[in-house]
Amino acid sequence: MKILKTMTTAVTALLIATSASAAIQSAKQATDSVILKNAFENKFFIGTALNLDQIWERDSKAVAVVKTQFNSIVAENCMKSMFLQPQEGVFNFKDADRFVAFGEKNKMQIIGHTLIWHSQTPAWFFVDKNGKDVSREVLIARMKKHIQTVVSRYKGRVSGWDVVNEAILDNGEWRKSKFYQIIGPQFIELAFKFAHEADPKAELYYNDYSTAIPAKRNGIIAMVRQVKAAGGHVSGLGMQEHNGLDNPSISEVEKTILGFAGLGVKVMVTEMDISVLPHVRPDMGAEIGERHAYSKEMNPYEEGLPAEKMEELGKRYVDFFSLYLKHHDKISRVTLWGVGDGDSWKNGWPIPGRTDYPLLFDRNYQPKPFVKDIIALTQKKKK
């Protein structure tokens, strides 16, 4: 009787262990089935932007997602000029060095962002000791020193650079930034020249938002043609893709892909997110300085995203990824601007205090229900 009881206990334990093992294996298979970088292998890189908590691996949940899901990274802020050179000649590479080391350790494509941008450039860049605008020659010299100091430091380690950000307005005209006012339109050509001299093998990109607006798209195309005609080494064009649920249209985004590819450069999605929140105005882009007052009506999902809105967001993401797969021969990378919803800049822009849900992973870094639908698109292509 005692032997029978012992055997029964052993069998029961074996069944429990077998069941647990099967559950673990099943969970692993479920996790493996939603790995983005595996699904899009041989199509394009899948990337994300990292904040400092992720770069320094203080946010373990986010870091686990980054290492599992993505094969390309870009620094959200720490490689911008205001952080790299806050005072003239005083460079701070601590965070940027850590970012590059993180990418190398995890065998990821590393993207540098951004060398020349009208925003988040330190004020000293444009003025003399008396607070007056510097001369054209001085600004060119400062621009050259910044670009070449930064790019040469990571020569052979950073595969591509956003050389110039957001130099064209929605109407297709040049943005009258300080770079433009003091140097003129040649500042873009010079920026690409200086970057190429510092690392001839690095890819060099122009990056902008709202590229699906026809006037802006045409303005960018005209500008790039001008830069290339002057000998500028433009390797690729970045479509930021800060989108909404109903804007822009897929058809206009496709026109942008085709128009940019027609210049003989790579096309990439560089800063993708899709806001579920109401837009303050039509054709809302990503002008970082734009701010509007808070109102409850503009923050409808503070307690959570309703199922029907999650479904709408999922359909929108599937539509975009279907387009990117259709043109995977032209698109080299798709980068999400943040890991989880809680990391997104959209929670505070252009209205501080809102709760948005613009990314593929939620605030607990779990994949949203539609991530499997995005991955399913790649399975269809394989059949």
Side-chain angles (χ1 to χ4, degrees):
M1 193 71 175
K2 194 170 183 179
I3 294 172
L4 181 60
K5 185 177 179 180
T6 301
M7 289 179 62
T8 301
T9 302
V11 170
T12 301
L14 180 62
L15 288 173
I16 291 172
T18 303
S19 177
S21 176
I24 292 169
Q25 185 63 28
S26 176
K28 184 178 185 304
Q29 289 172 350
T31 303
D32 289 347
S33 70
V34 290
I35 294 180
L36 291 161
K37 67 184 180 185
N38 292 348
F40 289 94
E41 190 177 13
N42 302 320
K43 302 298 182 185
F44 39 70
F45 284 96
I46 290 287
T48 188
L50 302 186
N51 61 33
L52 289 182
D53 283 339
Q54 294 149 8
I55 289 168
W56 286 95
E57 301 193 55
R58 296 188 289 257
D59 186 343
S60 58
K61 285 185 178 180
V63 170
V65 172
V66 173
K67 291 180 178 180
T68 301
Q69 298 287 342
F70 300 103
N71 53 17
S72 176
I73 54 170
V74 60
E76 185 177 18
N77 280 303
C78 72
M79 296 186 93
K80 292 169 180 172
S81 57
M82 70 179 289
F83 299 108
L84 282 184
Q85 196 183 179
Q87 301 174 41
E88 185 170 12
V90 179
F91 287 86
N92 177 13
F93 290 111
K94 182 180 178 182
D95 293 328
D97 284 353
R98 176 73 181 199
F99 165 73
V100 173
F102 179 95
E104 290 177 328
K105 178 183 175 182
N106 294 288
K107 298 179 171 55
M108 294 172 167
Q109 180 194 53
I110 302 169
I111 304 298
H113 173 84
T114 177
L115 296 171
I116 297 297
W117 186 27
H118 68 277
S119 186
Q120 291 185 271
T121 299
W124 67 260
F125 223 96
F126 306 110
V127 297
D128 61 21
K129 61 183 179 181
N130 298 315
K132 305 284 188 178
D133 282 358
V134 294
S135 67
R136 185 175 190 271
E137 291 71 27
V138 168
L139 184 54
I140 290 173
R142 287 178 175 179
M143 190 171 74
K144 180 177 182 178
K145 180 178 180 180
H146 180 80
I147 291 172
Q148 297 200 334
T149 300
V150 174
V151 174
S152 63
R153 184 178 184 87
Y154 303 112
K155 182 178 180 180
R157 301 171 69 194
V158 169
S159 63
W161 288 94
D162 289 332
V163 177
V164 178
N165 234 35
E166 303 170 8
I168 302 296
L169 297 173
D170 288 359
N171 62 7
E173 297 177 2
W174 288 85
R175 181 187 296 277
K176 303 307 187 289
S177 67
K178 279 293 184 181
F179 290 109
Y180 182 91
Q181 291 174 29
I182 297 173
I183 299 175
Q186 193 187 18
F187 85 88
I188 296 187
E189 171 196 330
L190 290 169
F192 277 91
K193 176 177 181 288
F194 298 151
H196 182 67
E197 288 172 352
D199 189 351
K201 293 185 178 179
E203 292 187 345
L204 306 177
Y205 316 132
Y206 174 77
N207 186 45
D208 216 327
Y209 62 82
S210 297
T211 57
I213 296 175
K216 184 163 192 171
R217 175 172 65 234
N218 293 336
I220 292 170
I221 289 172
M223 178 272 291
V224 172
R225 281 179 175 152
Q226 181 179 327
V227 172
K228 286 173 70 70
H233 293 268
V234 183
S235 312
L237 292 180
M239 309 183 304
Q240 290 185 14
E241 297 294 84
H242 294 296
N243 297 324
L245 290 176
D246 55 7
N247 185 68
S249 71
I250 295 292
S251 62
E252 288 298 336
V253 175
E254 183 168 34
K255 289 176 186 176
T256 299
I257 294 170
L258 296 173
F260 285 1
L263 293 168
V265 299
K266 292 182 178 180
V267 182
M268 54 207 69
V269 175
T270 55
E271 305 182 18
M272 189 180 193
D273 47 40
I274 300 177
S275 176
V276 300
L277 298 178
H279 276 188
V280 176
R281 57 179 175 78
D283 287 335
M284 193 75 183
E287 180 54 58
I288 194 170
E290 187 168 350
R291 286 289 184 272
H292 298 271
Y294 179 88
S295 69
K296 182 65 177 175
E297 294 74 20
M298 300 300 284
N299 188 29
Y301 311 121
E302 191 173 3
E303 302 303 319
L305 194 63
E308 65 271 15
K309 276 294 170 184
M310 181 70 80
E311 187 176 345
E312 189 178 352
L313 177 64
K315 184 179 185 306
R316 185 75 160 144
Y317 260 112
V318 166
D319 286 346
F320 274 108
F321 270 91
S322 295
L323 178 67
Y324 303 152
L325 278 170
K326 178 181 177 182
H327 295 292
H328 70 86
D329 59 322
K330 305 171 186 67
I331 292 175
S332 61
R333 169 171 58 98
V334 175
T335 293
L336 282 300
W337 202 245
V339 183
D341 286 340
D343 305 319
S344 176
W345 74 298
K346 285 297 186 72
N347 293 298
W349 181 92
I351 299 174
R354 294 203 296 179
T355 303
D356 207 345
Y357 305 81
L359 297 169
L360 299 183
F361 295 85
D362 65 22
R363 280 169 168 75
N364 292 315
Y365 298 107
Q366 295 301 305
K368 291 180 180 174
F370 56 80
V371 173
K372 66 180 185 303
D373 300 323
I374 293 173
I375 287 174
L377 295 172
T378 67
Q379 307 307 312
K380 291 176 185 176
K381 299 289 181 181
K382 292 176 182 178
K383 291 179 181 178

